[in-house]
Amino acid sequence: MSTHALLQALRAALPADRVSTDPATLSLLAHDALHPGRLPDWAVATPLVVVCPQQTTDVATAVRLANTHQVPLMPMGGGSGLMGGAASVVAGLVLDMRGLQDIQIRPADRMVDVGAGVTMATLNHAAAPHGLMCAHDPWTVAVATVGGTIGTNSLGYLGGKYGSMGDQVLGVEAVLPTGEIITTRGVEKASTGPGLHRLFIGAEGCFGIVTRATLRLFPLPQTRVLRSWEFANFTTGFTAIQALLDSGMRPGLLEYSDDHPTCTADVPATLILSFEGRQRVAEAEAAEAASLCATWHGRELPARHAETFWAQRHESGDAYAEARAAGQSWLRYVRRQPLDYLHVSLPPSAVLDYRHESLALLAEHGLQALQTGLWCHAGLFNIAFTGADAATFTAMQMRLLQRCQDKQGAMEYCHGVGVRLASLMAREHGAGLGVLRRLKQCLDPQGLLNPGKLSLAPDLAPPAL
Ligand SMILES: Cc1cc2nc3c(=O)[nH]c(=O)nc-3n(C[C@H](O)[C@H](O)[C@H](O)COP(=O)(O)OP(=O)(O)OC[C@H]3O[C@@H](n4cnc5c(N)ncnc54)[C@H](O)[C@@H]3O)c2cc1C
């Protein structure tokens, strides 16, 4: 590989402003939001070059040249991923996808054809005058892009009713690792073979680079009714949530959490729900939920509690977006003690046992649980913890994730795998990882697209956890 020859070829094929070797740009785009506070010893390589495509053919040109010169390629959207999925594990070419900004709203179809670099906030801003919205609303709405949220199959505040980002995707245009462009049909449903667009959902840019997507849009709700309740302990509220879901209700927002839980004493837990749509329907559902929560001795909190939560829900994502726009490194987020927030997906019947066992394990090893909770669904369980030295902390992360896998759960439900969870991919998928690796080998014979992620290349070992 000759960096000089690659740069010459890129500059000959693309306008000058689309190819950068500016050291500050290389340094910023080397990493996403994964930092040593979550993964001790985490370090990135400095990219050789950043390419900023403005259209699909720019992406295809960069990919073909990277193949010719055998240089690894890393697609990057907003760079807010928490697993190192867009980070440079090896020096190569970073594709800054934020230049793909086209938005075509199709109100009659309740769909949008949208460029991969558009943020969720910009998309919603464009859809609103048509009385429509994209139903994916992550904390990072201001920075997360269409391409990155598809790449991680991200989840947002409205996921309880509308599902994940992957559920919004009807079709994609993508550049394959060898530079070929494919487009799948953006229709509600097809029965014409496996849905090829799904190959790119949650694939972290390893099977192809999404340049454009056809997404569902939904009518802006006439009203959104927000309510919250406090329960005496996690178990009681969990039982109320199960009853609520059993009744067939699907709140838009389902946010459930406690503070500083232990396995020996009860701490209160708070449930926040939203009901949205036609006013009379939303209000009737909220009243039904209130009566159900009362059955489980939930104490209804003043309306401002849920309303404040809703108004402030993007604050930490906005802070990250601002720091990144100012070119600040993730070092700003590094803490003296490691802190992590695991998001595991469990059969709902396993949640309470898993929570209890996890809290007991943390206490046994001198770590502090900061919070446990649920998001969108009774089986999507979160636990945040801190404390101890890096070695004990890392061993505990692994232990809790493996326990989840042992209970037939999935080790992560919204942030992807990247490099951080790559070492558990064989345990997660069993023989299925071999299938994923064969697919990767077939589509990307030189192994150049986003190497080191998802454990798809056995020969390129990810950093040890
Ligand atoms: C403070 C904070 C809050 C967060 N809150 C949430 C949350 O509420 N819900 C949630 O799910 N996540 C959350 N995240 C994580 C992050 O915002 C999501 O993973 C988001 O989907 C990443 O989007 P991005 O554009 O920043 O992607 P990036 O980080 O740039 O990339 C993510 C992955 O997608 C790949 N990729 C990027 N663009 C493309 C493309 N065009 N084609 C193919 N692959 C591509 C990258 O290579 C990488 O593997 C949070 C992160 C932070 C820092």
Side-chain angles (χ1 to χ4, degrees):
M1 151 181 115
S2 153
T3 310
H4 181 67
L6 171 69
L7 285 177
Q8 266 193 329
L10 285 168
R11 289 191 170 122
L14 295 168
D17 62 349
R18 292 180 203 175
V19 181
S20 172
T21 51
D22 163 51
T25 307
L26 297 184
S27 159
L28 181 68
L29 297 191
H31 59 79
D32 55 13
L34 176 60
H35 58 68
R38 293 176 84 107
L39 180 61
D41 300 332
W42 171 233
V44 294
T46 303
L48 304 173
V49 56
V50 170
V51 171
C52 309
Q54 302 288 312
Q55 53 201 18
T56 302
T57 48
D58 293 347
V59 178
T61 299
V63 172
R64 277 198 282 268
L65 289 174
N67 270 272
T68 305
H69 295 272
Q70 298 192 350
V71 172
L73 280 149
M74 276 64 69
M76 173 163 282
S80 67
L82 287 161
M83 297 297 183
S88 293
V89 176
V90 289
L93 186 162
V94 173
L95 273 168
D96 178 351
M97 298 297 291
R98 289 173 298 173
L100 282 92
Q101 282 293 326
D102 185 39
I103 304 179
Q104 306 287 333
I105 308 275
R106 292 196 269 140
D109 299 328
R110 285 185 300 284
M111 290 180 194
V112 58
D113 299 315
V114 59
V118 172
T119 64
M120 304 320 294
T122 303
L123 176 54
N124 267 327
H125 194 67
H130 302 275
L132 296 168
M133 66 170 192
C134 174
H136 179 52
D137 180 42
W139 297 23
T140 38
V141 70
V143 62
T145 60
V146 167
T149 52
I150 294 175
T152 51
N153 195 6
S154 158
L155 189 69
Y157 286 105
L158 295 174
K161 181 174 170 118
Y162 301 98
S164 70
M165 181 59 178
D167 294 323
Q168 315 308 316
V169 181
L170 299 172
V172 298
E173 175 191 79
V175 176
L176 297 182
T178 44
E180 188 186 347
I181 300 170
I182 62 162
T183 309
T184 73
R185 289 175 194 273
V187 289
E188 178 60 36
K189 158 99 174 65
S191 179
T192 52
L196 204 47
H197 63 292
R198 292 181 200 277
L199 188 61
F200 304 97
I201 297 171
E204 303 187 14
C206 293
F207 291 148
I209 301 162
V210 174
T211 45
R212 200 170 162 76
T214 302
L215 305 178
R216 290 177 207 287
L217 294 176
F218 292 89
L220 278 168
Q222 189 183 54
T223 193
R224 177 169 289 133
V225 180
L226 291 153
R227 295 274 189 276
S228 59
W229 295 265
E230 187 180 82
F231 292 89
N233 55 47
F234 191 93
T235 303
T236 319
F238 179 82
T239 316
I241 291 168
Q242 289 277 62
L244 189 112
L245 297 175
D246 279 347
S247 77
M249 271 189 272
R250 288 290 172 270
L253 169 72
L254 191 164
E255 162 87 27
Y256 183 52
S257 62
D258 55 20
D259 269 324
H260 294 90
T262 71
C263 56
T264 48
D266 281 351
V267 295
T270 304
L271 173 65
I272 310 177
L273 300 175
S274 80
F275 297 96
E276 48 190 273
R278 301 291 294 171
Q279 184 141 2
R280 276 185 300 176
V281 177
E283 279 171 3
E285 283 192 320
E288 190 62 25
S291 112
L292 221 145
C293 288
T295 311
W296 299 97
H297 309 292
R299 179 175 69 86
E300 185 150 5
L301 299 172
R304 70 172 182 284
H305 181 88
E307 282 158 12
T308 305
F309 175 88
W310 185 256
Q312 296 176 347
R313 72 194 186 284
H314 297 132
E315 278 183 356
S316 68
D318 290 350
Y320 180 79
E322 277 166 32
R324 199 158 169 99
Q328 286 178 20
S329 138
W330 39 243
L331 288 175
R332 177 173 184 266
Y333 291 89
V334 176
R335 297 157 200 268
R336 247 177 288 147
Q337 274 197 320
L339 181 149
D340 203 4
Y341 205 171
L342 303 182
H343 298 77
V344 299
S345 186
L346 285 158
S349 59
V351 163
L352 293 178
D353 277 353
Y354 180 77
R355 177 179 178 274
H356 185 80
E357 289 168 20
S358 301
L359 291 175
L361 263 176
L362 290 172
E364 192 185 318
H365 291 86
L367 290 109
Q368 294 92 51
L370 301 175
Q371 190 177 76
T372 60
L374 301 172
W375 210 32
C376 300
H377 186 273
L380 302 186
F381 177 76
N382 318 315
I383 181 163
F385 60 98
T386 188
D389 56 283
T392 313
F393 181 82
T394 305
M396 184 57 64
Q397 286 174 317
M398 291 295 105
R399 211 155 152 193
L400 295 183
L401 294 170
Q402 289 180 14
R403 273 194 177 230
C404 160
Q405 291 174 328
D406 293 343
K407 290 185 181 297
Q408 314 308 319
M411 63 177 164
E412 172 60 48
Y413 70 69
C414 69
H415 294 133
V417 170
V419 291
R420 192 161 85 90
L421 304 183
S423 65
L424 290 179
M425 279 292 276
R427 223 173 173 277
E428 181 83 8
H429 290 281
L433 182 59
V435 177
L436 292 175
R437 285 177 172 170
R438 289 203 292 280
L439 274 172
K440 171 73 173 170
Q441 169 67 27
C442 173
L443 291 168
D444 186 8
Q446 300 207 76
L448 294 178
L449 194 50
N450 219 2
K453 317 298 164 62
L454 282 171
S455 189
L456 291 182
D459 50 343
L460 199 147
L465 280 165

